[in-house]
Amino acid sequence: MTVELVQDKTRPPMDGKPQWKQVYVPSWDSTTRWLWRLAKTHVLAHDACYHQLVSHWLRTHCVTKPYIIASNRQLSVMHPIYRLLHPHFRYTIEINALARESLINVDGMIENSFSPGKYPLELCAVAYDLEWRFDHQALPADLISR
């Protein structure tokens, strides 16, 4: 990608402010090199926050909880599917509870290490509500949507 193409891109206007036309690109002079590194670090920090809150917490830990509860309620301990899934589900609910206590709570690791603001758990709840529904992820609906 050439510099001319990158500089033609703009961000959309937000809150009545005009478009911001400056895009940081790699360079060799010292000032723009450090601006590029700072911009890259900023993006990587937000990407890591998104990964921890949405990709890992929501799409791994929160999504499996309904399946754990359903399998514990509906399947016999002798059922082959229960026996297959039990080692994977064994400590997940405990891990989720510990994560809510120390990682995604107020003044937790996610809030102090990344920058999702003051309310990472509320952010997770909104993203979970918008992106994932149990009835759409269930087997018949999931196969039809594919």
Side-chain angles (χ1 to χ4, degrees), residues 12-27:
M14 294 176 61
D15 301 327
K17 296 178 184 175
Q19 293 177 335
W20 182 53
K21 295 187 179 187
Q22 185 175 5
V23 175
Y24 296 105
V25 294
S27 180

Side-chain angles (χ1 to χ4, degrees), residues 49 52-53 99 102-123:
C49 178
Q52 289 298 326
L53 285 176
S102 62
L103 293 176
I104 60 172
N105 63 344
V106 176
D107 289 331
M109 286 292 275
I110 299 292
E111 186 177 316
N112 290 328
S113 300
F114 307 108
S115 60
K118 277 178 78 173
Y119 306 104
L121 195 56
E122 285 83 357
L123 178 70

Side-chain angles (χ1 to χ4, degrees), residues 123-139:
L123 178 70
C124 288
V126 169
Y128 186 81
D129 187 43
L130 293 175
E131 291 188 10
W132 199 88
R133 286 187 41 190
F134 188 69
D135 58 339
H136 289 173
Q137 303 298 325
L139 189 58

Side-chain angles (χ1 to χ4, degrees), residues 18-39:
Q19 293 177 335
W20 182 53
K21 295 187 179 187
Q22 185 175 5
V23 175
Y24 296 105
V25 294
S27 180
W28 290 105
D29 66 283
S30 62
T31 303
T32 52
R33 175 185 251 179
W34 282 106
L35 286 173
W36 165 249
R37 288 181 179 174
L38 183 63

